[in-house]
Amino acid sequence: ATVSSVNVAIPHLAASELSPTDTQILWIIDAYALVFAALLLPAGALGDRFGRKGALLIGLGIFITASIACAFMTSANNLIFCRAVMGIGAALIMPSTLSLLQSSFPRRERGKAIAIWAGFAGAGGAIGPLIGGVLMEHYWYGSVFLVAAPIGMIGFISSAVLAPRS
């Protein structure tokens, strides 16, 4: 949802006080995905070595903080940097959630849990443009970054309370 909702906001962002160049717009879109993809495997290994719950909570904290910061950046370069930081948080979150599902559910329930996880992950790509479009109709471009913060906070609190240490 983070990638697809930002794509909807690009025309508003391009016309904003940030005045990004075409190259900066591409980096605003791609910095998150590039950093996320580059760090996904190493972040998973860190979670396996030092604890998946800790990696998840750190990743959520980074992601939430960077999302809020993105909404209020005053330069295109700073927004690019914050998007890259969001990618670091996401790289810590994604493998940790799947690993925690494996250790939290008995073998007979794992298939359902992983299917629900995959469904929500996939739905984000479809829901992102819809939410982004609604937000762009009523608010400024930074609102697409703020959507992730309350969802992340719910995930952080839920994980802190319910997720097992592994």
Side-chain angles (χ1 to χ4, degrees):
T2 302
V3 173
S4 57
S5 63
V6 171
N7 288 341
V8 173
I10 290 301
H12 297 272
L13 201 147
S16 74
E17 67 279 356
L18 297 179
S19 301
T21 65
D22 291 343
T23 302
Q24 287 172 320
I25 289 171
L26 288 174
W27 276 108
I28 290 167
I29 295 167
D30 294 337
Y32 170 84
L34 180 66
V35 171
F36 171 71
L39 296 181
L40 190 59
L41 290 176
L46 285 173
D48 289 344
R49 181 162 175 93
F50 297 109
R52 296 172 186 118
K53 182 176 180 175
L56 175 61
L57 295 175
I58 290 168
L60 283 166
I62 291 169
F63 189 85
I64 293 163
T65 303
S67 294
I68 293 168
C70 281
F72 300 104
M73 284 296 107
T74 56
S75 80
N77 287 335
N78 288 342
L79 179 56
I80 293 165
F81 175 77
C82 283
R83 291 280 291 158
V85 173
M86 284 176 69
I88 295 169
L92 286 164
I93 294 167
M94 189 60 75
S96 300
T97 56
L98 193 53
S99 295
L100 285 168
L101 283 178
Q102 290 281 54
S103 64
S104 298
F105 288 89
R107 184 174 299 278
R108 67 183 187 286
E109 298 292 324
R110 281 187 201 147
K112 289 180 202 171
I114 292 170
I116 292 168
W117 176 87
F120 276 102
I127 293 170
L130 296 173
I131 292 172
V134 169
L135 290 171
M136 290 301 92
E137 286 291 320
H138 301 288
Y139 303 102
W140 94 113
Y141 70 87
S143 63
V144 298
F145 300 111
L146 293 177
V147 170
I151 296 166
M153 288 301 291
I154 292 167
F156 185 93
I157 294 166
S158 300
S159 298
V161 172
L162 300 172
R165 296 188 78 80
S166 65

